[in-house]
Amino acid sequence: MMHKANSEQPNQFRTVSLREVLQAMPKVDLHRHLEGSLRLETLAEVAYEHGVDLPSYDIEELRPLVQMVESDPYDFHHFLEKFKLLRRFYSCREAVERVAYEAVADAAKDNVQYLELRFSPASLAMAQDFSLDEVTEWVIQAVHRAQQDYQITVGLIVSILRDFGHEVAEHVTEVAIAYRRQGIVGLDLAGDEVRYPGKPFAKLFHRAKAEGLGITVHAGEAMGPERVHEAITLLEADRIGHGVRTIENSDVLQLVLKRDIALEVCPTSNLQTGVVSSLGMHPLRDLYRLGVHVTLNTDDPSVSNTTLTDEYVVAIQHIGLTMIELKNIILKGIQAAFLPAREKARLEKRLTRALGLETPSRFRWRFWE
Ligand SMILES: [Zn+2]
């Protein structure tokens, strides 16, 4: 793709960089946490205006407290620590609505056309003892507004945090079910998978599934493929958050293939949590070529200081995917979306055309294999 430099130099063309091509590409993000998507400027402003007690209100001094920086060790628990301070910022309704609105706006500016944004009502509610219902309504309203202002479709996923215990998880599940006709499309299990197995939450996920919610479970990230197995067989997961360590066990790999379980892969996050030792060692390409239903996502754009465009650059430059493979992965995102079949088909058709993949993806998949 080339553009004319200006009208006075009709024969002058400039080279378009890979980043620009990928930035312009329509995108799908199925795994993005609201709590990991806060703009640093917003953090500083909200904290200052609402008197949130912080060591500093300067953006650069705040940065290492809420974002992975060069001096940080690449470690799962260290990564999770960043969210503890972030919870102090949900100080009022305006703050919750603002971060939800901006999370969608930022995705739209990165040309994300379909976003599943997940949030933990309990995390948003805890600083000021808000009710889970009210914070959920604020997020829904803000996201609805952002969808009217930007060209983007958003589904909301409610996250249960393993660390908050079973009683909170029960309330969160009820909230997710209660608001399923107002934009909540799925239920997620997040938090510390090392210390808290998924099994105790199984009944909640069965109930959510019976009520029509999509099920996604963080697994096979800090822990091995046994957690992926647990998520599929005990929690009835439709998709796995990360799940990259599936590749370590051929039985679990076969299970994922047989049931067409989509993996929500987030490469930069995997590097920063120490799941992979380098981006070049990331198993995304191997998983794709083995036929696993992989999708490519951000996880926590602000904590990881990344965008979906950055992740696409990583996929091509460091992981070694071809452009056609990347485009197929974007379509696989839509195919795994928690959307009604008709809406999914409509979006898939639109994206297929926009990505220049006019032949059906099934045919193309075989051809490239
Ligand atoms: Zn996540």
Side-chain angles (χ1 to χ4, degrees), residues 251-265:
D251 288 341
V252 178
L253 182 62
Q254 288 307 317
L255 180 69
V256 164
L257 282 167
K258 198 171 135 206
R259 300 210 189 168
D260 194 32
I261 303 291
L263 304 186
E264 303 158 0
V265 178

Side-chain angles (χ1 to χ4, degrees), residues 93-113:
R93 176 182 181 156
E94 290 72 32
V96 173
E97 289 191 347
R98 182 170 169 186
V99 296
Y101 181 93
E102 289 178 354
V104 175
D106 289 348
K109 285 174 192 163
D110 197 26
N111 272 317
V112 174
Q113 299 205 350

Side-chain angles (χ1 to χ4, degrees), residues 52-292:
V52 179
D53 183 27
L54 286 181
S56 170
Y57 298 98
D58 176 84
I59 290 176
E60 287 315 311
E61 286 177 29
L62 270 175
R63 187 182 299 278
L65 304 175
V66 296
Q67 192 172 78
M68 293 295 281
V69 293
E70 232 170 272
S71 57
D72 279 315
Y74 287 164
D75 172 78
F76 181 64
H77 288 106
H78 186 82
F79 187 88
L80 291 185
E81 280 298 311
K82 305 279 177 187
F83 292 90
K84 288 195 179 154
L85 188 89
L86 283 168
R87 285 178 198 144
R88 291 197 208 166
F89 290 89
Y90 314 117
S91 51
C92 58
R93 176 182 181 156
E94 290 72 32
V96 173
E97 289 191 347
R98 182 170 169 186
V99 296
Y101 181 93
E102 289 178 354
V104 175
D106 289 348
K109 285 174 192 163
D110 197 26
N111 272 317
V112 174
Q113 299 205 350
Y114 180 70
L115 170 68
E116 282 181 10
L117 184 66
R118 60 190 72 194
F119 68 104
S120 152
S123 296
L124 299 181
M126 69 191 304
Q128 299 293 328
D129 226 5
F130 298 131
S131 78
L132 300 183
D133 285 277
E134 58 189 351
V135 291
T136 301
E137 280 174 22
W138 299 340
V139 171
I140 289 172
Q141 283 166 16
V143 167
H144 184 67
R145 253 192 308 120
Q147 282 190 93
Q148 290 176 329
D149 294 347
Y150 295 92
Q151 209 190 353
I152 186 168
T153 305
V154 185
L156 284 166
I157 295 174
V158 163
S159 292
I160 289 175
L161 288 198
R162 298 166 187 258
D163 330 29
F164 287 179
H166 198 268
E167 202 181 320
V168 176
E170 262 184 60
H171 288 158
V172 171
T173 306
E174 291 311 317
V175 167
I177 291 169
Y179 289 91
R180 73 187 184 287
R181 296 194 205 288
Q182 292 168 57
I184 307 294
V185 298
L187 186 67
D188 166 45
L189 186 61
D192 188 346
E193 70 161 327
V194 178
R195 296 189 180 123
Y196 304 93
K199 194 177 172 186
F201 303 97
K203 276 196 179 148
L204 301 180
F205 280 84
H206 298 170
R207 170 153 161 64
K209 190 158 195 162
E211 293 285 350
L213 289 174
I215 302 298
T216 177
V217 174
H218 282 70
E221 181 189 15
M223 291 291 282
E226 68 281 0
R227 283 279 202 265
V228 176
H229 187 269
E230 174 192 74
I232 298 168
T233 56
L234 294 184
L235 277 70
E236 300 181 355
D238 304 301
R239 303 194 320 229
I240 300 291
H242 304 289
V244 288
R245 293 186 61 189
T246 295
I247 205 154
E248 294 172 16
N249 183 305
S250 55
D251 288 341
V252 178
L253 182 62
Q254 288 307 317
L255 180 69
V256 164
L257 282 167
K258 198 171 135 206
R259 300 210 189 168
D260 194 32
I261 303 291
L263 304 186
E264 303 158 0
V265 178
C266 315
T268 300
S269 169
N270 292 156
L271 176 71
Q272 293 175 344
T273 54
V275 176
V276 295
S277 56
S278 71
L279 290 169
M281 296 291 285
H282 197 285
L284 172 61
R285 189 179 62 172
D286 291 340
L287 287 164
Y288 175 86
R289 291 182 185 175
L290 286 165
V292 176

Side-chain angles (χ1 to χ4, degrees), residues 31 33 118 218 242 299-300:
H31 190 129
H33 295 263
R118 60 190 72 194
H218 282 70
H242 304 289
D299 208 8
D300 301 289

